[in-house]
Amino acid sequence: MDDDVERAARKVRDVEQAVAQHVERSGPVTGRASSPDGAVTVIATPGGPPQQITVSAAALRMGPHGLAAEIMRVAEKAQRAASSRLHQTLERVVDPRELTELGFTREQDEDEFGWRR
Amino acid sequence: MAAVNEERIQATEQLRRDLEVLTATVEHPNGLCMVTASPKGEIRALHLHPALLQQGAQAVGEVVTETVRLATNAAVQTSFNKMALALGDGIAIDVESIAGDSPFRSTWNPVVPPKPAAGDAPPERRPRTPIVDDPDEDAFFENPFGRR
């Protein structure tokens, strides 16, 4: 059991190093999404809470319920974009199937303003 | 040994199912925003108090961002706790050594409390809690001699 953990830890360290070197070159991986009218903008991280949520003055007119729903929608879209970017960034150093299994899916629709969903 | 392994596999499988649906709900210390988030930082529910919107767009953005972070940390911490319960503290410590400290260890008391004004000495005694008509649990513990 200890051997397994030790081996897993070693593998994680190796991948971590490869990833760190890669990210150093490409910069931090984030995803960005906005409402069509710019009411809400979210900069998301893959697999973590949003880095920044900004709300325009006009967005306050949506009221607490409408604004909350819009923040949730944009945050989800930003996180999908972040996951997709992480997938693209790491697929050269980590098996893409493992990335997908971890929930970092690569999306075709990378356009920030494409509202196809 | 085989039975132990079987038990462990079952515990892991159950844990995986538990962690998939796990969320934590946190209210911002200002009481104006409540977020339910997954350990991966996904917002499952968001409630904004109308008074928060009156504080302006910038405040809304900052308070929501902070509350999502707190809720995500709480969800990650709950995951660690569940893992420690299901697989034992040893495994939880091993996971921490691989994945980094749990939020409880690394971000204890993450919200900076408001600084008291300079020269503002803390009061000698806390003012007596007023008796509430319909005491809930908290009110009861704050005021054990209140009517009940």
Side-chain angles (χ1 to χ4, degrees):
Chain A
M1 192 64 201
D2 285 348
D3 280 355
D4 287 347
V5 171
E6 191 61 32
R7 215 174 307 131
R10 207 176 314 122
K11 193 175 175 205
V12 168
R13 268 198 303 274
D14 291 349
V15 173
E16 205 172 66
Q17 204 185 347
V19 168
Q21 286 169 352
H22 204 74
V23 170
E24 211 170 277
R25 286 197 296 273
S26 64
V29 178
T30 54
R32 186 191 168 100
S34 299
S35 318
D37 58 359
V40 175
T41 300
V42 176
I43 299 173
T45 58
Q51 201 175 70
Q52 192 183 39
I53 299 171
T54 43
V55 168
S56 77
L60 299 179
R61 286 201 291 271
M62 294 164 92
H65 294 293
L67 183 55
E70 184 62 7
I71 291 174
M72 283 179 67
R73 203 174 63 84
V74 177
E76 198 202 325
K77 195 172 163 54
Q79 203 181 38
R80 276 207 310 270
S83 296
S84 184
R85 277 207 58 200
L86 183 80
H87 190 120
Q88 283 174 284
T89 309
L90 296 186
E91 62 190 359
R92 271 166 286 172
V93 281
V94 182
D95 185 344
R97 283 168 304 183
E98 285 181 27
L99 288 169
T100 305
E101 209 165 280
L102 284 170
F104 302 121
T105 323
R106 181 169 182 165
E107 291 189 355
Q108 296 304 314
D109 176 15
E110 270 289 280
D111 179 7
E112 191 189 326
F113 298 105
W115 295 92
R116 274 172 249 170
R117 274 160 218 266
Chain B
M1 190 61 198
V4 172
N5 273 343
E6 185 59 32
E7 254 175 49
R8 193 161 257 167
I9 288 167
Q10 276 182 11
T12 313
E13 199 43 42
Q14 181 61 41
L15 180 68
R16 198 180 57 77
R17 283 195 294 268
D18 286 351
L19 295 185
E20 257 170 36
V21 294
L22 187 143
T23 58
T25 302
V26 164
E27 189 182 51
H28 192 271
N30 70 12
L32 301 181
C33 178
M34 196 152 79
V35 169
T36 303
S38 77
K40 290 182 189 170
E42 298 149 318
I43 310 173
R44 300 272 194 240
L46 169 60
H47 183 80
L48 305 175
H49 195 283
L52 178 62
L53 273 62
Q54 284 162 18
Q55 293 185 2
Q58 197 188 336
V60 174
E62 285 171 3
V63 168
V64 175
T65 306
E66 181 158 74
T67 316
V68 179
R69 183 174 58 78
L70 294 175
T72 304
N73 279 349
V76 172
Q77 184 59 52
T78 311
S79 308
F80 267 103
N81 296 350
K82 273 194 185 287
M83 185 173 61
L85 264 180
L87 306 177
D89 286 341
I91 298 283
I93 290 166
D94 284 339
V95 171
E96 266 190 315
S97 74
I98 296 171
D101 282 350
S102 69
F104 183 79
R105 249 193 259 282
S106 57
T107 58
W108 177 237
N109 196 13
V111 173
V112 182
K115 284 185 195 133
D120 191 1
E124 293 275 308
R125 275 183 59 183
R126 286 203 326 174
R128 194 180 293 262
T129 323
I131 294 168
V132 237
D133 270 334
D134 178 27
D136 60 19
E137 238 185 14
D138 288 343
F140 174 76
F141 283 110
E142 270 166 27
N143 181 16
F145 304 110
R147 23 186 178 122
R148 175 124 205 192

